[in-house]
Amino acid sequence: MISALSSRLPTVAFAIIVSFCSLLFILGPAAAESVAFKQAVAESAAQDQDISAFYKETGYGAIWTGKSGRERNRRAALMNALNAADSHGLPSERYNLTALEQQMKNARAPRDRGLVEVAMSRAFLQYARDVQTGALVPSRVDKNIVRQVPYRDRKSYLTNFAKSSPKGFFKALPPQTGEYNALRKQKLVLEGLIAKGGWGPTVKAKKLEPGDSGASVVALRDRLVRMGYLKRTATGTYDSTMTDAVMRFQADHGLAQDGVVGQGTLAEINTSVEKRLQSVIVAMERERWVNKDRGKRHIEVNLTDFTAKIIDNGKVTFTTRSVIGARDAKRQSPEFSDVMEFMVINPSWFVPRSIAIGEYLPELQQNPNAVNHLIITDRSGRQIDRTNVDFTKYTARTFPYAMRQPPSRSNALGLVKFMFPNKYNIYLHDTPAKNLFGRETRAYSHGCIRLADPFEFAYALLAKQSNDPEGLFKKTLASGTETQLNLKKPVPVHIIYRTALANSKGQIQYRRDVYGRDGRIWNALSQAGVALRGVQG
């Protein structure tokens, strides 16, 4: 047996096991049982570096399988947590709960208990990481989710758990946010609706508006009743009460609130309970990816909601509409967190090379005087005379020049930009294209976030460091000079993507999956073992 083990185990672990085997010959029965238990723990734990390190530090003693009340409480807390994994939208089968329970039931000899001990720690570590920081690795699902997930050291889970109240430890693992709690409650509500058959038949129509009547209006009425937007009524006419209900529905789904059921509103009304449940489960996973302190004051940009907000102590104190990156894969806005350090008033726009060679070089090759609002510079930053350059001899790879648009009201960045320096070259800024903010869906930029009310956004940021933020901003703006204003206290920025989100009252609203990212996340969760379920009561 020893020679067979030596080929499978690390040298240190093997040496420990040999020592245990030697002790069996010189100790009494009770001590021998303890040695056999520890030998099994060492052997099984050797397959996981973190588990092995923890048990080595604790002398290979039990934290789960002992006979005291402390160990019984730990076992009960773990089993309860694993049983409730589905309530968090986690892949329950990943934790092998049925097999673990059977292994516990069949454990008789010390060696069996040692193997169970490590099996429980292995399940514990998998669950703890999943429920705290997510079951998926974001960047593996979508390359534009470049978020740095706040993973904790695996061994620290075991170390801290051994010192903590079992129930309290498990309770503290998931995100402790109102958002996460609201999503978890909504999950249960939607599962109850699935068990009852959902929201009923879909509405078959091209367009419905006030004054209409007929079978499609009745179907709309019944669906709004089941969704909770309309009280039970026998009306068959699209009356004022139904119009108000439709407008409330539109507000909750980020739609233009015109009271008319056009194709966009109809698509959202006909979305199934199952699809909404998928959005909620994905949102819970996303919330786990940012399970850390986001700052007493922070900026939140929700790409699907086309908004940017300033949040102080959990309350939204400023909000403005935004334009985000276009749906094209190369122009989508990424998801990440960083820290805003300063704003630039009267900014220059340094044209990203991808735009310079992809959009402007072809125009210059046709006409050297094209895009004449841009200054073309050499590698030393000196302006060149474009009429002396034959742009046709350059390719996207060999083009040696840079482009810059000087400060002006027509500048692509408008009159102010807000900087949180990052390798993705993403920031928030003003724009001269104000007409885009009136549209329902606002995905048009090259990736940066355009703000509808950039001046007011600046005033709100500067209010923390100036008695006259508006005066300070306007005075700097009037100079016409490119000026950097530092924030005395940098503000965290979180660019997120939520198709299911809680409003200020904790009620869940929904948005479109503008980039298709949530669909990809759901597919990954489904492949990992997350399933939709209906529950009674």
Side-chain angles (χ1 to χ4, degrees):
M1 174 182 173
I2 291 178
S3 61
L5 280 172
S6 67
S7 64
R8 302 200 308 269
L9 296 176
T11 303
V12 174
F14 178 68
I16 293 170
I17 293 168
V18 171
S19 298
F20 286 154
C21 290
S22 300
L23 284 173
L24 290 174
F25 292 100
I26 58 177
L27 297 176
E33 285 189 8
S34 174
V35 170
F37 172 86
K38 293 182 178 183
Q39 176 186 331
V41 170
E43 177 184 333
S44 185
Q47 302 170 32
D48 186 303
Q49 182 177 353
D50 295 311
I51 295 178
S52 181
F54 168 75
Y55 280 108
K56 183 179 180 181
E57 287 180 3
T58 58
Y60 299 92
I63 63 169
W64 305 104
T65 56
K67 297 179 180 179
S68 73
R70 180 175 57 184
E71 282 86 13
R72 284 197 298 271
N73 289 338
R74 289 172 181 164
R75 289 196 298 271
L78 176 61
M79 293 300 107
N80 288 338
L82 297 183
N83 270 306
D86 178 71
S87 70
H88 292 280
L90 294 173
S92 300
E93 296 303 316
R94 176 180 285 186
Y95 315 116
N96 300 312
L97 179 58
T98 302
L100 183 59
E101 288 176 331
Q102 190 61 46
Q103 188 179 2
M104 292 168 64
K105 188 180 297 184
N106 295 338
R108 296 289 186 269
R111 175 176 175 78
D112 297 334
R113 293 197 300 274
L115 297 178
V116 168
E117 173 74 26
V118 176
M120 295 183 76
S121 288
R122 191 171 290 116
F124 164 78
L125 285 182
Q126 183 68 68
Y127 171 81
R129 172 159 285 190
D130 288 355
V131 78
Q132 187 168 57
T133 48
L136 303 176
V137 177
S139 59
R140 293 179 185 172
V141 181
D142 191 292
K143 65 180 182 180
N144 283 312
I145 308 176
V146 291
R147 182 167 304 290
Q148 297 296 311
V149 180
Y151 293 119
R152 278 66 164 184
D153 176 69
R154 290 176 76 243
K155 186 168 75 71
S156 71
Y157 282 120
L158 287 164
T159 303
N160 293 333
F161 177 74
K163 301 174 183 176
S164 305
S165 158
K167 286 184 179 179
F169 185 91
F170 281 110
K171 186 176 181 181
L173 283 174
Q176 304 297 301
T177 61
E179 183 84 11
Y180 190 82
N181 291 334
L183 289 166
R184 197 175 177 200
K185 290 177 182 177
Q186 183 73 351
K187 179 179 182 291
L188 188 60
V189 169
L190 295 176
E191 287 170 340
L193 286 168
I194 290 174
K196 295 177 182 177
W199 289 316
T202 57
V203 181
K204 294 177 172 59
K206 291 184 177 180
K207 182 179 182 181
L208 294 172
E209 53 190 346
D212 287 349
S213 59
S216 294
V217 172
V218 170
L220 173 63
R221 176 201 70 192
D222 292 346
R223 202 157 173 92
L224 289 171
V225 168
R226 291 198 178 197
M227 289 177 169
Y229 287 97
L230 191 64
K231 292 182 179 179
R232 291 194 175 277
T233 174
T235 184
T237 302
Y238 199 141
D239 56 17
S240 60
T241 303
M242 194 177 296
T243 300
D244 291 341
V246 168
M247 291 178 70
R248 287 195 299 275
F249 177 90
Q250 290 171 328
D252 285 348
H253 293 75
L255 306 170
Q257 299 168 50
D258 58 8
V260 175
V261 180
Q263 289 301 300
T265 298
L266 190 63
E268 298 304 307
I269 285 176
N270 282 337
T271 298
S272 67
V273 178
E274 288 80 3
K275 289 292 290 184
R276 296 304 188 202
L277 179 55
Q278 289 177 15
S279 292
V280 166
I281 292 173
V282 167
M284 292 171 71
E285 174 74 357
R286 286 181 168 281
E287 189 75 0
R288 291 189 285 265
W289 293 345
V290 288
N291 188 8
K292 62 180 181 179
D293 181 10
R294 293 172 213 182
K296 291 183 178 180
R297 159 167 273 212
H298 64 270
I299 296 163
E300 180 183 280
V301 178
N302 186 2
L303 299 175
T304 65
D305 191 35
F306 309 106
T307 57
K309 300 174 180 177
I310 297 175
I311 299 174
D312 290 287
N313 298 312
K315 294 184 178 180
V316 176
T317 55
F318 181 85
T319 184
T320 182
R321 289 167 292 164
S322 68
V323 169
I324 68 171
R327 288 188 174 92
D328 179 87
K330 295 181 179 179
R331 297 172 64 184
Q332 293 181 13
S333 299
E335 300 169 47
F336 66 101
S337 295
D338 214 300
V339 179
M340 184 176 291
E341 299 173 3
F342 60 92
M343 65 183 74
V344 178
I345 302 173
N346 297 312
S348 294
W349 179 44
F350 294 89
V351 182
R353 183 166 178 81
S354 60
I355 299 176
I357 62 177
E359 298 182 22
Y360 296 150
L361 177 57
E363 294 185 43
L364 290 168
Q365 290 171 334
Q366 293 292 324
N367 175 11
N369 291 313
V371 294
N372 57 15
H373 62 292
L374 300 175
I375 295 172
I376 302 177
T377 59
D378 61 19
R379 287 188 174 91
S380 298
R382 294 177 300 227
Q383 183 173 351
I384 67 164
D385 183 352
R386 60 173 69 200
T387 61
N388 293 329
V389 177
D390 180 6
F391 292 103
T392 62
K393 71 178 184 180
Y394 297 115
T395 66
R397 185 176 61 84
T398 62
F399 186 64
Y401 302 115
M403 298 181 182
R404 173 174 60 87
Q405 184 181 17
S408 71
R409 290 192 173 275
S410 60
N411 186 286
L413 304 182
L415 295 171
V416 60
K417 66 177 180 179
F418 304 89
M419 301 299 294
F420 39 107
N422 57 82
K423 62 183 178 181
Y424 316 109
N425 200 27
I426 297 296
Y427 43 88
L428 278 57
H429 65 88
D430 183 17
T431 176
K434 303 295 186 183
N435 61 306
L436 296 177
F437 293 107
R439 302 189 183 185
E440 186 176 86
T441 300
R442 299 186 288 276
Y444 299 102
S445 81
H446 282 85
C448 287
I449 312 299
R450 305 175 188 173
L451 303 181
D453 306 296
F455 290 7
E456 290 76 10
F457 188 78
Y459 305 158
L461 290 173
L462 293 172
K464 292 289 185 178
Q465 63 190 64
S466 172
N467 293 327
D468 183 16
E470 185 173 348
L472 171 62
F473 182 89
K474 288 182 175 179
K475 181 181 179 180
T476 309
L477 181 66
S479 72
T481 302
E482 186 166 358
T483 305
Q484 177 175 315
L485 279 182
N486 293 331
L487 297 179
K488 290 184 178 179
K489 188 173 183 180
V491 181
V493 179
H494 305 287
I495 301 179
I496 66 172
Y497 186 107
R498 300 292 171 82
T499 60
L501 59 153
N503 64 14
S504 60
K505 298 179 181 179
Q507 300 164 333
I508 299 300
Q509 300 183 340
Y510 299 96
R511 299 294 184 265
R512 293 168 175 145
D513 188 5
V514 62
Y515 293 150
R517 291 179 191 168
D518 272 18
R520 287 188 282 278
I521 293 172
W522 169 252
N523 289 338
L525 285 171
S526 181
Q527 291 173 10
V530 176
L532 300 182
R533 295 180 175 87
V535 295
Q536 299 286 348

